Amino acid sequence: MGKGSDAESAEVLGEAFFEERKVELARRVSEKRFTHVMGVVEEAAIIARAYGVDEREARLAGLLHDWDKAYDDEEILKRVRELGLQVNPWILEHQPRLLHGPTAAAALGRDYPAIPARILQAIDRHTTGEIDMTPLDMVLYCADALEPNRRFGRVDELRAQIGHVTLEELYVAVLGYWTILIIEQGKTLHPRTVEIWNAYAVKNEKPYINTKRKERK
């Protein structure tokens, strides 16, 4: 995936490729989903600028992240088989809706091999996160949650933190918010959610403790 030449990679980051995929996407997803995607594109650009991440890569990742979102459960399972992906059997049975990230990344890498691997990775990870998120991964994950059409819960509060906390702190805050929201809605968690959360909680435990101590003084 994403093994094109430098010239080809530069081309896929250009406006022409973006507009062509935008037209294609509009045919692949519902109007409501398309509106969400364009909101993610907008928010990804804002977050990328705030944290010095390549804005072109962030916008393209935002545009393509829900490439396979229109597939229903049966269709996404067929897509997994078509692409030859190795997937946790529990996910196949209980959370096939989360597979649209991995299938999109694999299909886009196959169909547009010049797309940089880092963009495909961000697309692959945008639904579940990972324990070693790159800045681009975090930008897309946060943009998906905080895009302008999201108007519920603590989204406005989280959005206001952009540029005022580190990118990793923003990601951890969004990860925590979405995890709690899923639990409150009685939905199943991805099997690795606790592992991912614990990895960042342990990593950031001391700074968080120190901050709380300062606040008490």
Side-chain angles (χ1 to χ4, degrees):
M1 295 193 302
K3 296 181 179 179
S5 67
D6 291 343
E8 290 172 330
S9 294
E11 184 177 342
V12 301
L13 293 177
E15 199 60 29
F17 184 84
F18 184 94
E19 290 300 323
E20 288 168 1
R21 301 293 75 72
K22 180 178 173 182
V23 171
E24 188 175 355
L25 179 72
R27 296 195 295 263
R28 293 177 65 88
V29 299
S30 68
E31 183 177 349
K32 181 179 180 180
R33 179 58 50 180
F34 185 78
T35 298
H36 161 72
V37 168
M38 297 315 298
V40 174
V41 170
E42 177 185 341
E43 197 68 28
I46 291 170
I47 299 173
R49 285 197 299 271
Y51 294 104
V53 176
D54 190 303
E55 189 175 335
R56 298 173 306 164
E57 294 184 0
R59 292 181 72 248
L60 185 59
L63 180 72
L64 300 177
H65 80 284
D66 276 351
W67 193 252
D68 277 2
K69 187 67 173 181
Y71 290 120
D72 62 23
D73 287 356
E74 184 177 339
E75 290 168 338
I76 203 71
L77 294 177
K78 181 179 178 181
R79 185 79 150 157
V80 167
R81 293 190 294 269
E82 170 204 340
L83 294 165
L85 299 182
Q86 298 299 313
V87 179
N88 183 328
W90 192 92
I91 301 297
L92 290 174
E93 181 178 356
H94 298 285
Q95 291 186 315
R97 66 187 181 280
L98 296 182
L99 295 172
H100 69 276
T103 63
L108 288 162
R110 177 195 64 189
D111 297 340
Y112 305 103
I115 296 177
R118 55 190 173 273
I119 293 178
L120 298 175
Q121 175 177 283
I123 294 168
D124 179 273
R125 295 178 167 187
H126 85 269
T127 58
T128 60
E130 250 305 336
I131 61 173
D132 58 346
M133 296 283 274
T134 68
L136 182 60
D137 294 342
M138 290 187 281
V139 166
L140 180 58
Y141 185 93
C142 293
D144 190 25
L146 304 181
E147 60 99 352
N149 299 292
R150 306 275 201 193
R151 308 300 303 176
F152 53 84
R154 294 178 49 230
V155 171
D156 286 340
E157 175 190 331
L158 291 166
R159 195 180 292 123
Q161 294 182 27
I162 296 171
H164 299 287
V165 299
T166 68
L167 179 56
E168 185 170 296
E169 287 171 337
L170 181 67
Y171 164 66
V172 171
V174 173
L175 173 63
Y177 169 67
W178 278 106
T179 300
I180 291 170
L181 190 64
I182 290 169
I183 292 172
E184 288 178 342
Q185 293 176 347
K187 297 179 179 179
T188 55
L189 289 174
H190 188 280
R192 296 197 64 237
T193 297
V194 173
E195 180 183 352
I196 294 167
W197 172 258
N198 283 345
Y200 282 95
V202 169
K203 179 180 179 181
N204 292 292
E205 183 178 14
K206 188 173 181 179
Y208 288 163
I209 291 173
N210 288 340
T211 298
K212 290 178 181 178
R213 285 174 178 167
K214 290 178 183 178
E215 289 173 351
R216 288 198 294 265
K217 291 182 180 179

